Amino acid sequence: MVSLPVRLVLFIVFIISFCGTEKLKQRGLRQRDAEYVERCTGRDTDKQNCTRHPTDAQSTRVNVYSECLQGPAGTPGREGNPGANGIPGTPGIPGRDGLKGEKGECMREIFEEPWRSNYKQCAWNSLNYGIDLGKIAECTFTKLRSDSALRVLFSGSLRLKCKTACCQRWYFTFNGAECTGPLPIESIIYLDQGSPEFNSTINIHRTSAVEGLCEGIHAGLVDVAIWVGTCADYPRGDASTGWNSVSRVIIEELPK
């Protein structure tokens, strides 16, 4: 019979040999499993190569490696934080000059102030001016614009008396000269000869008017005057202006 120590040695050798054999089997199975997984995850797309038949110890893994199926998609991740600004790029090449454009039209826009009323009145009570030649009265006016016109009016009593045919003329002057834009502003009274007895007693005073527009007068102070004189080719008579009544001169600046 074999002694007890010898039995123990033999038992230990048997256990060590059995464990080594199992470790070799397990290592071989893990290596084949790794090759199968690698083949089914992208390197081999043939489904036949992904099919395994369980043999002995592999029967516990047949459900795991029976097919190559893709699992459900995972939950989408959150957006990341914005990145920092990149490095500024280098300036580009300057562009070329374009074609020369056509010559434009010259547009002139004039802005004018709104028109303001500008007028003046000079009046005299019972002027009673009996001269036959010369200035009767004057009224100074401030003209604001050079491109405007002046409207003038004299209203008062006028009379002419003579024994033979005579004519008198009442007219306006502007700074001492009669209007030339376009023509003088005047009124006349003519008295026919008639019979000596009848003409010697005529002495009629009537309220009359001398009125008109004059253009071409510069801006600034303007001396407007009413005068009396003779008519061409007729002798003068006995003239009278503003007898026993109000006489007035009205001056107004008007836009053209």
Side-chain angles (χ1 to χ4, degrees), residues 186-208:
E186 63 180 4
S187 290
I188 67 168
I189 297 178
Y190 170 76
L191 188 61
D192 200 358
Q193 181 176 355
S195 63
E197 295 81 7
F198 184 74
N199 286 334
S200 63
T201 59
I202 292 177
N203 188 17
I204 302 175
H205 297 263
R206 292 186 178 93
T207 299
S208 303

Side-chain angles (χ1 to χ4, degrees), residues 7-26:
R7 291 180 180 178
L8 291 173
V9 171
L10 292 176
F11 180 74
I12 292 170
V13 170
F14 177 75
I15 292 300
I16 292 173
S17 300
F18 181 76
C19 291
T21 302
E22 287 297 324
K23 287 182 179 181
L24 290 176
K25 288 181 180 181
Q26 293 293 332

Side-chain angles (χ1 to χ4, degrees), residues 105-158:
E105 298 181 0
C106 182
M107 301 294 293
R108 183 181 178 185
E109 190 172 3
I110 301 176
F111 297 93
E112 296 184 354
E113 296 181 359
W115 183 264
R116 294 185 303 166
S117 297
N118 184 25
Y119 63 89
K120 184 178 180 180
Q121 174 178 243
C122 297
W124 302 268
N125 187 23
S126 297
L127 190 60
N128 286 331
Y129 211 47
I131 65 170
D132 302 327
L133 296 173
K135 183 189 296 184
I136 299 172
E138 69 177 1
C139 184
T140 303
F141 181 77
T142 301
K143 193 170 184 286
L144 300 180
R145 305 171 64 136
S146 295
D147 60 346
S148 61
L150 286 185
R151 174 182 176 266
V152 291
L153 167 67
F154 170 80
S155 176
S157 172
L158 303 182

